[in-house]
Each structure stands twice: as C-alpha cells, then as structure tokens.
Amino acid sequence: MKQQQFEADNAALWTEISALLEGAGSDQRALPALYRRLCQCLALSSQRGYSPALTDYLQKLVGACHRRLYGTAIERPNTLVRWMLVDFPCRVRAEWRLLLLTCVAFFGVALGVGLLIWFKPQWAYSFASASDLNGYRDMYQPGKASVGRGGSEGDVMMFGHYIWNNVSIGFRTFAGGIFGGIPALVSVAFNGMHLGVIAAWLSRDPATAHQFWSFVITHASVEVTGLLLCGMSGIRLGLALIHPGRRTRAHALHETSQYMFPVIVGGSLMTFLAAFIEAFWSASAVIPINVKYAVGGTCWVLVIGFFLFAGRGKQ
C-alpha cells in the first residue's frame, strides 16, 4: 500500500486520538482500543519504510497515548542519582542502630585512646614506635610546602595513593563484616585508635596542633563517614547470614546485598571524594588555616544534614 492511501485510510483514527488526548473527545474509555490500532499503524509505517516524518508523527502520538494511559508523570531518574539522593540516605537512616554501633566503635575508641595519651603521653609508645611518632610530628610542622606528607610527592601522585589507601580500608572493613560483623567492628575500632593516637600526640604540641586539625577536618567528614558506612554494610550482611529468619541463608544474603547496595556504593564514592579533597585541598599550605576550619565545619554540617533530611518522602 502506498503511503498516500495509508494516510487516507487512517487519518480519521489519528484525528480521533488527537482529540481524545486534547480532552475534546466525549468517550475517553475508547482510548485503549484506539491505542492498540495506533501501535499497529506505527509498526506498519516502520515495516513498509514510509517517510521519516510520518513515522516520527506516529511515534510521538503513541508516546502521548502511553503517558495518558500509564501516567503522565512517570519518574525515570538516573539510577545512580536516585541511589545517591534517595535510597542512600534513607537506608542509612533505616540502619541507624548499626550506624550508632560503628560510631561508638570508632569515636569511642578514638576518644578513649586520645584522652589516655593526652594525660599520659608515654602511653603513645605503646601504640606506635618512636620513629613513627617523630615522623608524624615532622609531617605537620609549620612552614612545610605540603601539609601531612613525609616527602615531596606531588598532588596527583598522592591522590592515587589516597584512593588506594581509602578504598582498600573501606573494602577490608566491608568484607570483614561478612564474618558475623566482628572483624568489621575491629577494623573500625583500629582506625579510631590510630586517629586517637595521632590526634592526641600532635595536639599536645602547639606547633603541630592546628596544622593537624586543619588538615583532617575537611576530608574526614566524608572519609570517616564512608568508612563507617562500609563497616555498617558489612555487618548487616553478616547478620543476614547469622539470622536469616525464615529464608535460606543464600536468599537472605542476596536480598540484603541488594538492599544495602546503595549504601556500599555511596560509602565508596565518599572515600573517593575524600582522596580528592585530601590531595588537592587539605595538603595545601597556601590556604589559610582559618579557611580550612570554616570549610571543614561546613562539610561536616552538610554531611550530617544530608543523612538527616535527604530523600524524605520520596520513597
């Protein structure tokens, strides 16, 4: 059939559908049947090689009918964007008990060890060697070209190092959670202990105290949070194996891993972002310390606010 004859035979159908879509038709219930006939027209137009203008017109008409029948405001956001802005914070809030547990393991140990070394500095040598402690002190001396580095490594090189270090720690912490959660908690507590030792040791020296805290305050907002989320995700998987409920352990692990996947992705992206900030912002000796404190405080507020409020009412 020629295109001209095809258009003449179906023009009335297309006109009727357009009228229904514009609200001029009297019986909207006829739209489903007309929609099926319209789809046949589109298939024939494509099969017979009619003009692109006709095929495009029919395609748009089919799309308009589909939206009318199945909803005009179908939300199809990018999957990663939805994970980050909705699923990620909502599922972190849903697991607030595990998050609290990892926070206690990290900050509790950091505070306890830090106070011990603050009042009894000789205990620092029980957690680190004298050469390591002196090395930390040298890294945060005022006047260094790059803060927090032992040598003259460039920003890009350190960026790669920080990525490897942060991601590997997060992965080990997450993987340890599968064994009942205990290894993950130990990993989180060990990193808290490490922070407590260094923070207390350097804070006792006025020459290094502000250098250290201005260095860590910004990237720690996402690095520490990412670590805690990796630990929390691993623990949740471990608990699914220990207490699968009425499911098989394989089924429980599969369901839990799907549920926690946005948290794992979000925690990994946060550790990656921390590496970028640490390499190009935190280590800069050009940026004034007060500016680093202000930006770091703002980052902490944004991170906490994100997990408290993002995604509410959108699931």
Side-chain angles (χ1 to χ4, degrees), residues 92-153:
V92 169
R93 287 195 296 271
E95 298 293 338
W96 66 268
R97 294 176 181 84
L98 289 182
L99 181 60
L100 179 61
L101 178 63
T102 55
C103 286
V104 170
F106 182 85
F107 292 108
V109 172
L111 181 61
V113 173
L115 289 174
L116 175 64
I117 295 175
W118 178 265
F119 291 107
K120 295 184 177 181
Q122 67 273 16
W123 275 90
Y125 297 100
S126 300
F127 298 96
S129 66
S131 60
D132 287 340
L133 293 174
N134 291 331
Y136 291 133
R137 181 172 290 167
D138 292 338
M139 290 167 60
Y140 296 96
Q141 289 296 324
K144 288 180 63 68
S146 295
V147 183
R149 298 178 185 173
S152 57
E153 299 87 350

Side-chain angles (χ1 to χ4, degrees), residues 13 22 33 35 70 91 94 108 122 136 296 300:
L13 170 66
E22 294 173 359
Y35 173 60
Y70 300 104
R91 293 180 189 181
Q122 67 273 16
Y136 291 133
W300 276 103

Side-chain angles (χ1 to χ4, degrees), residues 14-15 21-22 28 33 37 44-45 47 58 72 98 123 139-140 146 148 153 158 168 183 202 208 233 237 242 289 308:
W14 304 339
T15 302
L21 293 176
E22 294 173 359
Q28 295 286 330
R37 292 173 58 191
L44 289 174
S45 177
Q47 182 182 6
L58 294 175
T72 57
L98 289 182
W123 275 90
M139 290 167 60
Y140 296 96
S146 295
E153 299 87 350
M158 292 307 298
S168 62
L202 296 177
T208 57
S233 301
L237 292 183
I242 296 175
I289 288 177
L308 285 177

